[in-house]
Amino acid sequence: MTNKPTHLDDSGAAHMVDVGAKPATGRRAIAGGRIAMSAEALEAIRSGNAPKGDVLSTARIAGIMAAKRTADLIPLCHPIALTQVSVEFDWEDTGLSVRAVAATTGPTGVEMEALTAASVALLTLYDMAKALDRAMVIEGIRLLEKSGGRSGDWRAE
């Protein structure tokens, strides 16, 4: 890896990295995070009795839609053709965790798309349940693993 910032030109101005000469390869990234909430809010989501309706389906769709719009949200991200986006939730004792997967076959990675999907899914969970618990805490959003590309595979410890 280089120590030179890749999104700055020689004069220090921000620019989008040219990936035109890079080969198209299969790339995949997984991101995750969690939201902690009250037992009341968690039970309302689990039982399908949240005031705004089907919380998990709405959050899943929001995460998928967000991944597809990452380049519109993060200024120097390339718009890429995603071949897969999935958002899954796991029940925990004090909240929910999210796992977002993004994949493509192209010249640049999908880490930002996976992170965006996880983040927006968690924000949507908050929005859908805030009438039950405004003290919910979103935490631990991070890249869990990535594969493909010049830098190869990586997994968080």
Side-chain angles (χ1 to χ4, degrees):
M1 299 201 82
T2 178
N3 289 332
K4 182 182 177 207
T6 58
H7 287 77
L8 299 178
D9 66 16
D10 291 337
S11 69
H15 72 100
M16 184 181 277
V17 175
D18 182 358
V19 297
K22 292 172 70 177
T25 61
R27 297 159 187 270
R28 184 172 184 263
I30 302 172
R34 70 178 309 273
I35 185 167
M37 64 184 69
S38 68
E40 174 192 14
L42 192 60
E43 181 52 34
I45 294 169
R46 188 187 306 267
S47 66
N49 291 322
K52 291 189 176 183
D54 187 348
V55 174
L56 296 183
S57 291
T58 303
R60 179 176 290 111
I61 292 169
I64 292 167
M65 291 175 63
K68 294 168 29 176
R69 301 295 303 263
T70 300
D72 294 331
L73 301 169
I74 310 294
L76 300 178
C77 279
H78 293 84
I80 60 174
L82 293 167
T83 58
Q84 176 198 10
V85 179
S86 64
V87 177
E88 300 300 328
F89 302 98
D90 286 316
W91 298 101
E92 298 181 352
D93 291 340
T94 60
L96 288 158
S97 63
V98 65
R99 175 182 155 100
V101 178
T104 191
T105 301
T108 191
V110 289
E111 295 92 342
M112 294 309 299
E113 287 73 12
L115 286 161
T116 300
S119 299
V120 171
L122 288 164
L123 288 168
T124 302
L125 290 174
Y126 184 96
D127 180 55
M128 296 288 289
K130 68 185 176 203
L132 301 167
D133 182 4
R134 292 199 183 273
M136 290 179 283
V137 176
I138 295 170
E139 57 194 3
I141 298 170
R142 67 187 189 132
L143 183 66
L144 299 172
E145 66 182 79
K146 61 127 339 234
S147 62
R150 184 180 66 209
S151 63
D153 297 350
W154 178 87
R155 176 172 278 165
E157 295 182 19

